[in-house]
Amino acid sequence: MLSPTSTATTTPAFRFDNSYARDLDGFYVRWKPAHAPAPQLAFFNRPLAEELGLDADALSGPEGAAVFSGNALPEGAEPLAQAYAGHQFGGFSPQLGDGRALLVGEVLDRAGRRRDIAFKGSGRTPFSRGGDGKAALGPMLREVLIGEAMHALGIPTTRALAVVETGEPVYRETALRGAVLTRVASSHLRVGTFQFYAARRELAKLRQLAEYAIARHDPDLAGSPTRYQALVERVVQRQAALIAQWMNVGFIHGVMNTDNMTLSGETIDYGPCAFMEAFDPKAVFSSIDSNGRYAYGNQPAIAQWNLARLAETLLPLMIEDAGGDDAEAADEVAERIVQEATAVIETFPRLFQAELLGGQRLKLGLAGIGVDKDPAEDAGDAALANDFLALMHAQSVDFTLGWRGLADAAAGDEAALRGLFADQDALSAWLARWRERCEREHAVPAEQRAVRMRRANPWIIPRNHRVEEALAAASGQGDLGPFERLLSALQNPFETRPELAAYAEPAPAAVTACYQTFCGT
């Protein structure tokens, strides 16, 4: 067992209320972050700090560097390493846990929402499994760029509050600048958290964890006799909505292990992730996903698979509450509960498709403009969207620019869209169908439709080559300028700004063809 590192304590104003530490004793190991020899702020998210009710001015300088490196824990902090398990690329690991992360504590933000504040890269813990527990500057800045881009796109996500350079190297293939990320989340409860206790058959702890999750994320379910099944239903709904949003912006998570699926429905862990350029359902950018398990087009099915693992963990509680402890009725009760839980998981495809089509209608300029709920209309709109995607796939059209060009076409300017397609006849045939569909709705001025479509189809995404350029400059030369300029460009992704045109351009095809991302561990 490692010995906690001694850490100084100061008292910046963090209004901590640490329910995980208080209510789940035994579900974690109390631990201290490693000392950073020369901490220096590389990034500080002032708007998020203000949203959390923190003193942004005090934390934007040396005091913030001390706090966010872990050298000066705020008063009320109770740092701990959480236990969890997980299926990683389909193989089950019964013990993972926070190997290089610590939950520092929880605050209630200005809107009254409970938010976790956690470190990533803060040193070894009892769950480190031989690793050094540290993180490099580049991957931590990637978390900032992708997380803040997702937030600006309106997609539920964990967010970066700060990144601090520690002043010491970390060693991977070579020596890299060490860093600590401070991450904010609605919680760090994962499918893998439940798997940890289910695998050990610690049903009392599993029940305690489930009650905590319900109280935190779905308090209206508390006391219901079917609350555990209802919890699974809620998580299924949240994840169906989340994955649909990923798909509608071309996002590939890259490592959809069960320990990276949250109960809150927030995107977590921006390691080997990327945004697709030329549309391809089989697109994979992760260096560790050699078989394409987490390819773009596989994400909905993997999400459903992960959710089935969550349901499995709660089956013993559901059965027990349904009277399954009676030996004579146990088999019958268990069979019924399994069928009911399976039925919940089988709702995922329908929920996902509804969320996906809702987003696609916005992208097509249809939703919210008098569309009825006729199933035939749903099928027609889904076919329209799918056929547009098929056209983009067949002609290797950039996913983001293809949809954005369609918004321009709605305003009567087809030049940008047509410039992306080699087969003009196929595009013209599809555009004729799309225009006919638009005309069947309430009369809407063309420019108004285009404005609505631009709100659904971003102009700027974190282009992979721009992300890599920014991270290379920061990691290699300590130059944060490219990172800061890219981060600024990502703040308003739906607004066309000519001075930022370079950030909207895709990488050359030769660059995209060999692009890989890495997990950063």
Side-chain angles (χ1 to χ4, degrees):
M1 181 70 72
L2 301 176
S3 299
T5 303
S6 61
T7 306
T9 302
T10 59
T11 57
F14 282 68
R15 294 186 290 276
F16 284 116
D17 180 54
N18 303 326
S19 66
Y20 197 95
R22 180 175 63 242
D23 299 343
L24 293 176
D25 187 34
F27 288 67
Y28 54 81
V29 178
R30 292 186 183 273
W31 210 251
K32 299 289 186 182
H35 180 76
Q40 184 173 352
L41 272 175
F43 164 76
F44 177 59
N45 194 332
R46 177 178 285 270
L48 179 56
E50 293 172 349
E51 182 180 304
L52 294 170
L54 306 179
D55 186 342
D57 290 334
L59 292 170
S60 63
E63 184 179 24
V67 167
F68 297 127
S69 66
N71 283 2
L73 290 175
E75 182 178 7
E78 297 182 83
L80 55 88
Q82 295 177 307
Y84 53 85
H87 277 89
Q88 298 190 310
F89 290 88
F92 185 63
S93 296
Q95 180 170 305
L96 296 172
D98 286 334
R100 58 171 180 160
L102 291 173
L103 174 60
V104 178
E106 305 156 35
V107 299
L108 298 178
D109 68 15
R110 292 187 183 277
R113 297 169 298 184
R114 184 174 295 275
R115 313 281 285 278
D116 278 3
I117 296 179
F119 290 151
K120 186 174 183 178
S122 52
R124 288 192 180 112
T125 79
F127 301 112
S128 293
R129 307 188 309 281
D132 62 9
K134 303 295 180 67
L137 178 63
M140 298 304 95
L141 292 180
R142 179 190 293 276
E143 290 251 0
V144 176
L145 290 170
I146 308 301
E148 289 304 286
M150 295 286 269
H151 176 69
L153 289 165
I155 299 173
T157 180
T158 59
R159 297 182 65 190
L161 177 58
V163 174
V164 172
E165 282 201 66
T166 60
E168 66 178 358
V170 296
Y171 296 94
R172 300 297 180 255
E173 291 80 6
T174 186
L176 301 170
R177 294 171 183 264
V180 176
L181 168 79
T182 300
R183 180 167 65 191
V184 175
S186 293
S187 83
H188 284 80
L189 294 172
R190 316 154 189 261
V191 172
T193 315
F194 287 79
Q195 289 182 296
F196 184 89
Y197 298 100
R200 288 161 174 74
R201 300 185 184 277
E202 297 184 50
L203 298 191
K205 284 191 172 181
L206 188 62
R207 186 178 291 275
Q208 187 180 355
L209 178 64
E211 296 293 348
Y212 175 84
I214 288 169
R216 183 152 182 179
H217 290 298
D218 297 285
D220 60 305
L221 301 180
S224 167
T226 58
R227 59 194 177 280
Y228 304 132
Q229 179 177 314
L231 174 63
V232 176
E233 291 174 355
R234 293 286 178 83
V235 179
V236 167
Q237 292 165 5
R238 289 192 282 263
Q239 287 294 333
L242 177 66
I243 306 304
Q245 287 179 285
W246 288 2
M247 302 296 282
N248 275 331
V249 296
F251 176 72
I252 304 168
H253 185 278
V255 62
M256 288 181 66
N257 298 328
T258 56
D259 56 299
N260 287 331
M261 175 172 276
T262 64
L263 268 70
S264 66
E266 289 180 329
T267 313
I268 190 170
D269 195 350
Y270 293 109
C273 61
F275 280 75
M276 183 168 51
E277 296 205 335
F279 179 67
D280 181 2
K282 295 181 180 180
V284 175
F285 295 109
S286 170
S287 64
I288 58 176
D289 192 5
S290 56
N291 295 320
R293 175 181 174 87
Y294 299 143
Y296 169 81
N298 289 346
Q299 291 180 134
I302 290 295
Q304 184 179 12
W305 191 90
N306 288 351
L307 291 163
R309 307 290 77 77
L310 173 64
E312 286 172 353
T313 69
L314 293 171
L315 283 175
L317 304 184
M318 298 179 199
I319 292 169
E320 187 174 89
D321 287 358
D325 53 351
D326 180 343
E328 294 183 5
D331 290 345
E332 181 179 336
V333 169
E335 183 178 358
R336 175 174 61 82
I337 293 300
V338 169
Q339 289 175 348
E340 290 174 354
T342 300
V344 171
I345 298 303
E346 288 177 347
T347 65
F348 179 87
R350 175 181 57 80
L351 294 171
F352 167 75
Q353 288 297 332
E355 294 284 353
L356 183 71
L357 181 56
Q360 289 173 333
R361 279 191 170 131
L362 288 169
K363 295 173 81 66
L364 289 165
L366 301 176
I369 318 174
V371 176
D372 59 29
K373 298 301 180 183
D374 185 330
E377 197 75 271
D378 277 2
D381 290 351
L384 192 64
N386 288 335
D387 289 348
F388 186 59
L389 293 174
L391 275 180
M392 288 199 286
H393 184 206
Q395 302 188 46
S396 298
V397 171
D398 183 86
F399 182 85
T400 302
L401 295 185
W403 283 108
R404 187 72 176 195
L406 187 62
D408 292 337
D413 182 1
E414 297 182 359
L417 182 64
R418 290 195 175 277
L420 299 171
F421 286 83
D423 185 346
Q424 295 293 304
D425 290 342
L427 177 61
S428 294
W430 183 88
L431 284 172
R433 290 170 54 202
W434 171 65
R435 293 192 187 284
E436 187 275 332
R437 174 66 183 87
C438 291
E439 290 171 0
R440 296 207 311 271
E441 295 192 343
H442 298 304
V444 176
E447 187 55 42
Q448 183 179 339
R449 189 185 300 276
V451 167
R452 291 180 176 181
M453 291 175 69
R454 291 184 187 115
R455 292 175 185 158
N457 294 303
W459 182 59
I460 285 182
I461 58 168
R463 294 284 178 179
N464 300 317
H465 64 300
R466 295 297 180 193
V467 172
E468 296 303 330
E469 288 171 0
L471 302 187
S475 300
Q477 296 82 44
D479 179 7
L480 291 169
F483 162 80
E484 291 167 350
R485 289 190 289 274
L486 176 56
L487 181 61
S488 177
L490 295 170
Q491 298 304 305
N492 296 291
F494 302 103
E495 181 183 346
T496 301
R497 290 173 288 171
E499 70 276 13
L500 298 178
Y503 292 105
E505 296 172 0
V511 173
T512 299
C514 61
Y515 181 68
Q516 284 191 317
T517 57
F518 302 87
C519 66
T521 56

